[in-house]
Structure formats: structure tokens, C-alpha cells
């Protein structure tokens, strides 16, 4: 059963889409705003995303860009704006298709099926056959007794609870989940864009400095968050 993440704040349209897709044997999760959608991305693991461009907490193309940086699954924009410039911008930031409201539910289903077929065909054979692995809710790094609870969004370092900003938590989560991977500053900016509207290279450096103060025994000689000169940062276990 294919999983569709619907990010739509309009109750009437949202319920209509949910009812139709469920009747067509899709598993659907509806989110009312962008932040809910970003959170659901990990927990729900959709095969396709339907994204409204007008949301209470995000500008739609900005959210589309953030989602594209986090997942390769198809994204269909649903919008009442039929301007060519809006469509071009949506495609530029990662959308795969664009539906103008009002639209036919049958047409929406057809476009979903086309994108899903194309996406699954492009996957490596082992991924096509594999059963999705649930996202871990808790990450532990024994070497430094660091524990991250993704569901509760908490961090403990050597048994002590650490307070963090939203962006700091997303940054440390990303680094810890992919130890030894070198992230360029541009990669980290793209990963955080959508959570932090002021994110830039300087902000990344500030977040890294703050994280080192919170998790390193000696922040000036970090053991875990390493600088890769001329490139970016990596997490070392």
C-alpha cells in the first residue's frame, strides 16, 4: 500500500483528498501545516507528498525546497495559483508535478500513479524489494554516553540533560545519524532551511560552536564534532 503525505491546511479540500485516496487503497496522513509535515516525514516515511503552496507557517516553495533536501520521493504541488511563474519556481525547488485547484480527483490519482511508477523504477533493485526500516527513535553513542531521543527531542550528555534550540537539535541529529560523513556547510544549510529562516554559513558555524560547548569536554579541542578544513564538518565516534 503506497503512503501519501498530504500537507494541506484547508479542511474541506484536505478531507476530500484523504477520503478519496483512502477509498483508492492509499495510506494517507494529513498534516495541517509545514512543521507537522516535516516531523511526519521521518515517522510516516511517505512514498509521495502532496503539498499545498499556501500554509499558515511556511511559504510553500520554501517548504518544498526543504522537503526535497530531506527526501527523494515525488512531490506534487496543489495550488490555486495557476501563474506560469509560480509553476516554474515550484519545479525549480524540487517539485515533480503541479496541480491547479480545483482539480479532478481522478486526474490527481493518475498523476500520483505515474510518479510512483517512475520513482520505483528508478530505485536500485535491492531497495525495490526491501521492507522499509523504521526510523530509530533513540540514538546512543556509547563512546561519549550521548543519547538522543528523536520522539521527545531530548539530548543527554554523560547523563546530563542538555537544552538546545530547534536548529541545534536538527543539526546534531543529522551529524550523529551519519558518523564520519563529511557535510559541506551548503549541505547543512539545505538540511536546516525550513527550520531556520536565517540560516547561512555564519549561522552554521555559530551552531557548531554552541554544540561543541554543550557536548565536548574541551570545546577548543573537539573529539566528536570535527572541522574538515576547506569543506565542512563531520561527527566522529
Amino acid at each position: 500500500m503506497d503512503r501519501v503525505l498530504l500537507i494541506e491546511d484547508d479542511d474541506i479540500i484536505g478531507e476530500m483528498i484523504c477520503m478519496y485516496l483512502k477509498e483508492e487503497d492509499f495510506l494517507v496522513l494529513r498534516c495541517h501545516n509545514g512543521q507537522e509535515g516535516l516531523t511526519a516525514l521521518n515517522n510516516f516515511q511517505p512514498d509521495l507528498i502532496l503539498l499545498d503552496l499556501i500554509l499558515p507557517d511556511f511559504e510553500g516553495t520554501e517548504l518544498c525546497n526543504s522537503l526535497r533536501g530531506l527526501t527523494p520521493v515525488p512531490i506534487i504541488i496543489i495550488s490555486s495559483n495557476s501563474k506560469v511563474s509560480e509553476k516554474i519556481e515550484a519545479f525549480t525547488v524540487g517539485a515533480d508535478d503541479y496541480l491547479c485547484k480545483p482539480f479532478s480527483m481522478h486526474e490527481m490519482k493518475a498523476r500520483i500513479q505515474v510518479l510512483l511508477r517512475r520513482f520505483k523504477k528508478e530505485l536500485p533493485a535491492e531497495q525495490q524489494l526491501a521492507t522499509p526500516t523504521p526510523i530509530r527513535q533513540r540514538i546512543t553513542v556509547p563512546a561519549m554516553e550521548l543519547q538522543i531521543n528523536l520522539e521527545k527531542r531530548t539530548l543527554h550528555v554523560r547523563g546530563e540533560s542538555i537544552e538546545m534550540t530547534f536548529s541545534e537539535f536538527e543539526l546534531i541529529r543529522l551529524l550523529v545519524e551519519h558518523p564520519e560523513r563529511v557535510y559541506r556547510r551548503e549541505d547543512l544549510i539545505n538540511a536546516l532551511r525550513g527550520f531556520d529562516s536565517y540560516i547561512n554559513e555564519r549561522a552554521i558555524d555559530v551552531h557548531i560552536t554552541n554544540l561543541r560547548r554543550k557536548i565536548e569536554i574541551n570545546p577548543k579541542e573537539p573529539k566528536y564534532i570535527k572541522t574538515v578544513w576547506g569543506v565542512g564538518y563531520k561527527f566522529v565516534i
Side-chain angles (χ1 to χ4, degrees):
M1 183 179 291
D2 291 314
R3 305 159 73 90
V4 175
L5 175 62
L6 170 63
I7 307 176
E8 169 64 76
D9 66 321
D10 187 292
D11 287 332
I12 295 176
I13 296 175
E15 288 306 311
M16 285 177 59
I17 293 175
C18 285
M19 289 175 60
Y20 177 81
L21 289 179
K22 287 176 181 177
E23 289 176 356
E24 296 296 320
D25 293 326
F26 289 92
L27 183 60
V28 186
L29 175 64
R30 180 193 167 200
C31 295
H32 296 75
N33 57 58
Q35 189 55 65
E36 286 183 13
L38 288 167
T39 301
L41 186 63
N42 278 342
N43 299 329
F44 184 60
Q45 294 186 299
D47 299 297
L48 181 140
I49 299 170
L50 289 172
L51 173 62
D52 181 21
L53 275 188
I54 302 177
L55 297 167
D57 60 340
F58 272 92
E59 197 280 321
T61 52
E62 178 186 354
L63 180 57
C64 181
N65 187 47
S66 297
L67 290 168
R68 178 51 69 225
L70 298 170
T71 179
V73 303
I75 299 174
I76 299 179
I77 297 295
I78 51 177
S79 174
S80 56
N81 194 329
S82 60
K83 291 182 179 178
V84 173
S85 59
E86 288 293 325
K87 295 179 181 180
I88 292 174
E89 184 177 2
F91 289 128
T92 300
V93 296
D96 297 280
D97 203 348
Y98 195 107
L99 273 170
C100 293
K101 300 175 184 176
F103 50 80
S104 160
M105 293 291 168
H106 297 294
E107 180 183 359
M108 177 187 69
K109 177 189 172 184
R111 294 192 184 210
I112 288 174
Q113 290 175 326
V114 167
L115 287 174
L116 287 175
R117 282 198 303 269
R118 185 184 304 162
F119 179 69
K120 291 176 181 179
K121 187 176 181 180
E122 292 173 353
L123 287 174
E126 61 272 17
Q127 290 188 32
Q128 294 181 31
L129 299 174
T131 300
T133 302
I135 297 293
R136 291 176 297 166
Q137 291 301 313
R138 182 170 296 172
I139 305 171
T140 302
V141 182
M144 63 176 298
E145 299 179 355
L146 182 151
Q147 291 184 322
I148 298 179
N149 190 308
L150 301 180
E151 184 176 12
K152 296 182 179 179
R153 299 186 64 81
T154 58
L155 170 69
H156 287 78
V157 178
R158 292 177 286 277
E160 180 181 354
S161 177
I162 304 298
E163 292 188 4
M164 291 177 297
T165 65
F166 194 99
S167 294
E168 286 172 358
F169 184 89
E170 291 300 319
L171 184 58
I172 190 64
R173 176 189 62 77
L174 181 67
L175 292 171
V176 171
E177 282 187 323
H178 304 280
E180 303 296 340
R181 173 176 172 179
V182 178
Y183 282 95
R184 299 175 303 163
R185 286 177 174 82
E186 181 182 351
D187 297 329
L188 298 175
I189 290 171
N190 289 335
L192 291 184
R193 187 171 289 145
F195 299 122
D196 187 344
S197 59
Y198 299 101
I199 198 71
N200 52 34
E201 288 195 4
R202 174 56 182 161
I204 290 293
D205 292 338
V206 170
H207 287 322
I208 291 293
T209 298
N210 290 337
L211 283 172
R212 283 173 171 163
R213 289 172 180 164
K214 294 176 180 181
I215 71 173
E216 301 279 3
I217 294 176
N218 183 355
K220 294 183 178 180
E221 297 182 5
K223 292 176 58 179
Y224 304 108
I225 301 180
K226 295 282 192 178
T227 299
V228 181
W229 296 108
V231 184
Y233 300 98
K234 68 177 180 178
F235 189 88
V236 178
I237 297 180

